[in-house]
Amino acid sequence: MRKPEVFRRDQRQGPAARGVAGPRRQGVYIAAGVAVAVVLVLVAPVARLVTPGVVVVPGSAAPAADSPDPPPVVRSEYPPLPADSRYPDRVLPPVNTTATGERAFNSSRPDGSPMRFDPCRPIHWVLNPDEMPAGGEQVLREAVAEISAATGLAFVDDGLTTERVDDDRESVQPQRYGDRWAPVLVDWVDNSEVTYPDEEVAGVASRTVVTPSGTPESARYVTGWVGLNRAWFTEALADPARAPVARGLMLHELAHLVGLDHVKDPTQVMHATSDTTGLGDGDREGLAIAGAGECYADT
Ligand SMILES: [Zn+2]
């Protein structure tokens, strides 16, 4: 049987993981207690086409619950406030959108607010271009720009890296990146690195939470990484009919990166199993909220 449709399914790892269980693979999933890895999986076509471009899988609605981020990283010292922090001012204006729809966040703090990045500093990111699919960089950069516009979070391209995604990725790597939170890493991974026994994984996204003051109220995202399946993107981007799906998948992963979780509405890019190619109203509302977090001056 062919595998003509995308079936996205996330699998969560880490001590707080719940929902779909999957075998843990070294070198793929981020370490327990550091972040939640979110995985997109392609499997056999049990999906049916209900509206143009939207694929749903009967009986497999997206998980509605948040997947809690694991306990925060504990360090003896945190890096200093970055020089490009605009604290107490945002780098970019907040996004005011009238869009409303279904949206969900990966985890929440005790006051009910979602876990977010600090909008008063840019999110630095680096790209490992090793065996990057043709067209992959353009789709990635367009998606980063779109997520930035939808969140009001500034993204700063720090260039290329040779770092690979890793279970035990350090959130601060002084020798590689200096005394600061390591930038978000985007890396192309192969099937041997992101494979379940009978499934092909299209992408992985994770975030790192820290609580510098020791209180839950200080919890925030400071970095993360995205692993993109090289073979899947190579194939999808080479097919004009499927390239828009690759774009949607890129948006899906980057939205996970900034804290969004799955929803049940199949018209949203954050639906777990649909072939959506662009942001829906719920996605836009969620991303605007994801970009409206608190600012910090402590690290
Ligand atoms: Zn997902």
Side-chain angles (χ1 to χ4, degrees):
M1 190 155 51
R2 285 182 68 237
K3 180 170 59 62
E5 308 289 1
V6 174
F7 172 29
R8 303 174 184 167
R9 189 174 75 202
D10 283 23
Q11 305 200 19
R12 298 173 175 81
Q13 308 295 323
R18 66 184 186 215
V20 180
R24 192 165 186 277
R25 296 273 302 207
Q26 286 297 324
V28 177
Y29 302 110
I30 198 152
V34 175
V36 174
V38 180
V39 181
L40 296 174
V41 180
L42 313 178
V43 295
V46 290
R48 61 190 170 87
L49 196 63
V50 289
T51 57
V54 176
V55 175
V56 299
V57 180
S60 68
D66 291 346
S67 62
D69 284 302
V73 173
V74 176
R75 288 173 52 86
S76 57
E77 288 185 9
Y78 291 103
L81 185 70
D84 57 2
S85 168
R86 304 278 186 87
Y87 182 87
D89 300 318
R90 296 176 58 97
V91 180
L92 298 176
V95 173
N96 296 310
T97 177
T98 58
T100 59
E102 190 181 356
R103 74 288 192 287
F105 297 93
N106 191 266
S107 61
S108 299
R109 306 192 304 175
D111 65 0
S113 63
M115 197 75 73
R116 290 176 278 199
F117 278 91
D118 177 343
C120 290
R121 68 187 66 184
I123 297 173
H124 289 258
W125 66 284
V126 290
L127 170 64
N128 186 326
D130 186 36
E131 296 184 57
M132 182 159 50
E137 184 169 358
Q138 180 180 344
V139 170
L140 170 63
R141 292 188 183 283
E142 289 173 356
V144 169
E146 189 164 352
I147 293 296
S148 176
T151 56
L153 294 170
F155 285 76
V156 169
D157 173 13
D158 281 358
L160 305 181
T161 185
T162 57
E163 186 190 2
R164 303 296 317 277
V165 295
D166 190 276
D167 270 357
D168 301 317
R169 186 180 194 231
E170 293 287 343
S171 53
V172 178
Q173 301 178 42
Q175 291 187 323
R176 190 187 290 272
Y177 300 118
D179 188 17
R180 58 167 174 151
W181 296 114
V184 169
L185 169 64
V186 180
D187 189 16
W188 301 93
V189 295
D190 63 35
N191 287 328
S192 69
E193 295 169 291
V194 281
T195 302
Y196 289 88
D198 56 351
E199 298 166 331
E200 183 184 346
V201 177
V204 185
S206 77
R207 303 148 302 276
T208 299
V209 178
V210 299
T211 57
S213 75
T215 64
E217 292 73 23
S218 71
R220 75 202 70 157
Y221 295 136
V222 290
T223 186
W225 55 259
V226 176
L228 303 166
N229 186 309
R230 185 182 293 127
W232 188 84
F233 273 92
T234 297
E235 183 179 344
L237 290 169
D239 178 353
R242 294 195 52 74
V245 177
R247 175 177 175 276
L249 207 55
M250 196 76 83
L251 290 169
H252 181 101
E253 292 290 356
L254 292 173
H256 273 316
L257 174 70
V258 297
L260 266 59
D261 201 356
H262 288 161
V263 298
K264 293 181 178 177
D265 179 354
T267 67
Q268 307 302 319
V269 80
M270 290 316 293
H271 188 272
T273 61
S274 70
D275 257 0
T276 44
T277 58
L279 298 177
D281 283 352
D283 299 319
R284 293 191 179 282
E285 182 185 21
L287 289 167
I289 294 170
E294 295 178 40
C295 295
Y296 302 92
D298 51 0
T299 178

